[in-house]
Amino acid sequence: MEELKKIVDNTFEREILEGLTSYPKYISSKFFYDKKGDELFQKIMELPEYYLTRLEHQILKDNKVEIVKSFDPSREGFDLIELGAGDGKKTRILLKELVDKQYDFTYKPIDISQNAIDGLVSKLNEEYPTMDIEGERGEYFEVLQRLNTLSNRKKIIMVLGSNIGNLLHPKAITFLKQLREAMHDQDFVFIGMDQKKNPQKILDAYNDESKVTAAFNKNVLSRINSELGGNFDLDKFKHWETYDPETGTAKSYLVSLEQQEVDIKSLSLNITFDAWETIHTEISQKYDEKTVRWMSEQSGLRILKSYSDIENQYKNYIFSK
Ligand SMILES: C[S@@+](CC[C@H](N)C(=O)[O-])C[C@H]1O[C@@H](n2cnc3c(N)ncnc32)[C@H](O)[C@@H]1O
């Protein structure tokens, strides 16, 4: 456990160093999530502009019986592994269905945020004292490499909230390929993927009026300040969102409002920013049917079924090997 914490923390230092000494500068969105980042993301999910959570919630609610049936859970018992589980609010819909139907399963939520895992596991233990739950801190690609040691039973692997959209296509395909490698014939993958839609609606979702998303984006600078001894002045950066309706890629940036220098003590690093220089912080990819089909072909996964809202704005796909 301590070993894993060290690996994850060292990754933070190493990747921040890499990203802030590159040109153009970048930081991975996986570093948004600490206690404060988790809280801010929970607020984002409540925002009127952030349609993703409500749509996926409705899809799961409307189709829970069929979705669970499609997992073919009547065999010997299985592991339900969720990557990037967050607060697991929507997952609860499926968990309740599985518990009500008395299936034999272990829920294994995994998240890069220890805070998110601790919160989720303790709430679920209260709600479902008899449910088998094994939460773990872990990073997607590190977990994918040890997925087979994590479970030797039938596996259902879930990735909700369009988490996969944080990866550009080549990385998302590698992610799916690695999932496939860890799967057996009876295993399924269940993935939520936000779809292309009115570009304004997408832009608004990542640029809300109350500026919670801006605070969420800047939280990564606070993390660098508190964990790596940085001295970023958050007011000297502006949250900026773009969306390209052709590629379906939404991107978040932090834009330096002036020429400035920042020190990061634990990295012995002094970074200069020109006025209007950017740090690219997040990708939120949007999909269409052609792209999802192409990704499944590339990764060797089969689309078994999909569930969507009436307007096809969000879809949840079941893939098999
Ligand atoms: C957009 S939130 C969605 C949470 C949840 N799936 C939902 O639908 O509400 C992304 C979650 O994935 C986690 N996460 C982000 N990048 C990750 C990574 N590379 N490895 C593991 N977890 C990650 C975050 O900590 C966060 O809890």
Side-chain angles (χ1 to χ4, degrees):
M1 191 68 187
E2 268 311 299
E3 201 48 35
L4 177 63
K5 187 173 174 336
K6 235 186 254 163
I7 292 169
V8 177
D9 291 346
N10 288 344
T11 305
F12 182 48
E13 292 193 2
R14 185 170 38 78
E15 291 195 26
I16 292 298
L17 178 66
E18 266 170 27
L20 291 183
T21 52
S22 292
Y23 183 79
K25 296 178 170 57
Y26 63 89
I27 298 176
S28 165
S29 59
K30 69 184 174 199
F31 297 126
F32 285 164
Y33 301 89
D34 59 353
K35 189 169 186 300
K36 180 87 191 299
D38 292 339
E39 282 164 14
L40 285 166
F41 187 69
Q42 284 185 315
K43 278 195 187 155
I44 287 175
M45 291 194 286
E46 301 288 322
L47 291 171
E49 293 95 336
Y50 199 78
Y51 58 84
L52 291 87
T53 306
R54 279 184 296 280
L55 288 180
E56 189 170 54
H57 190 273
Q58 197 60 44
I59 293 168
L60 299 190
K61 210 169 136 211
D62 291 347
N63 300 288
K64 62 183 183 195
V65 175
E66 223 209 295
I67 293 170
V68 162
K69 242 194 224 158
S70 306
F71 294 159
D72 191 17
S74 55
R75 296 163 190 259
E76 309 266 291
F78 63 96
D79 290 323
L80 183 66
I81 301 168
E82 181 167 13
L83 300 176
D87 70 2
K89 237 185 214 160
K90 286 165 288 157
T91 315
R92 278 182 175 69
I93 299 168
L94 299 181
L95 292 177
K96 182 164 185 323
E97 175 65 15
L98 288 166
V99 169
D100 288 351
K101 297 269 161 74
Q102 300 185 326
Y103 287 121
D104 169 19
F105 72 102
T106 302
Y107 176 47
K108 301 191 172 191
I110 294 169
D111 201 288
I112 199 165
S113 162
Q114 185 69 54
N115 175 69
I117 287 299
D118 291 347
L120 174 58
V121 171
S122 82
K123 276 207 187 112
L124 282 176
N125 277 333
E126 266 172 40
E127 277 170 52
Y128 298 102
T130 57
M131 192 195 290
D132 253 340
I133 309 167
E134 292 173 15
E136 252 190 59
R137 185 185 191 198
E139 198 279 330
Y140 300 145
F141 289 93
E142 170 265 318
V143 172
L144 284 173
Q145 284 184 353
R146 59 183 173 93
L147 208 52
N148 272 328
T149 55
L150 203 71
S151 163
N152 53 13
R153 300 203 286 180
K154 172 183 167 77
K155 287 187 281 296
I156 310 295
I157 303 153
M158 293 204 299
V159 189
L160 299 184
S162 210
N163 289 8
I164 191 169
N166 292 143
L167 310 173
L168 274 178
H169 293 321
K171 222 168 173 191
I173 289 167
T174 305
F175 177 85
L176 294 174
K177 270 187 185 160
Q178 290 187 5
L179 273 181
R180 186 186 182 281
E181 273 163 28
M183 285 167 73
H184 296 108
D185 290 345
Q186 78 274 26
D187 298 344
F188 297 101
V189 178
F190 185 60
I191 304 191
M193 297 170 93
D194 194 18
Q195 304 287 305
K196 287 181 177 172
K197 57 180 68 61
N198 184 334
Q200 190 62 56
K201 184 163 177 165
I202 292 171
L203 262 186
D204 292 348
Y206 299 94
N207 198 18
D208 60 289
E209 263 187 31
S210 49
K211 309 236 177 290
V212 184
T213 315
F216 178 62
N217 195 3
K218 288 183 184 187
N219 185 53
V220 75
L221 303 185
S222 301
R223 270 198 76 183
I224 297 173
N225 285 352
S226 62
E227 292 177 35
L228 305 181
N231 65 351
F232 276 102
D233 179 346
L234 274 53
D235 293 334
K236 291 187 180 170
F237 289 86
K238 184 177 178 61
H239 165 70
W240 193 257
E241 190 69 21
T242 66
Y243 175 63
D244 178 344
E246 183 180 55
T247 60
T249 310
K251 288 182 173 179
S252 304
Y253 295 92
L254 290 167
V255 183
S256 175
L257 294 173
E258 57 186 66
Q259 205 273 331
Q260 55 179 313
E261 289 190 19
V262 174
D263 290 317
I264 303 177
K265 271 202 196 112
S266 74
L267 302 179
S268 306
L269 187 66
N270 173 269
I271 324 156
T272 55
F273 286 90
D274 291 331
W276 311 120
E277 189 175 344
T278 50
I279 310 174
H280 171 40
T281 50
E282 187 172 43
I283 290 151
S284 304
Q285 181 65 40
K286 309 302 161 193
Y287 301 91
D288 52 30
E289 275 303 307
K290 279 201 185 87
T291 309
V292 176
R293 240 179 286 135
W294 169 74
M295 289 171 71
S296 70
E297 280 161 21
Q298 293 291 309
S299 56
L301 285 173
R302 276 195 308 146
I303 304 172
L304 277 192
K305 278 187 190 168
S306 69
Y307 302 88
S308 69
D309 60 297
I310 308 166
E311 294 175 295
N312 290 323
Q313 298 203 44
Y314 192 99
K315 292 192 182 175
N316 286 81
Y317 296 84
I318 300 182
F319 297 93
S320 66
K321 216 173 154 159

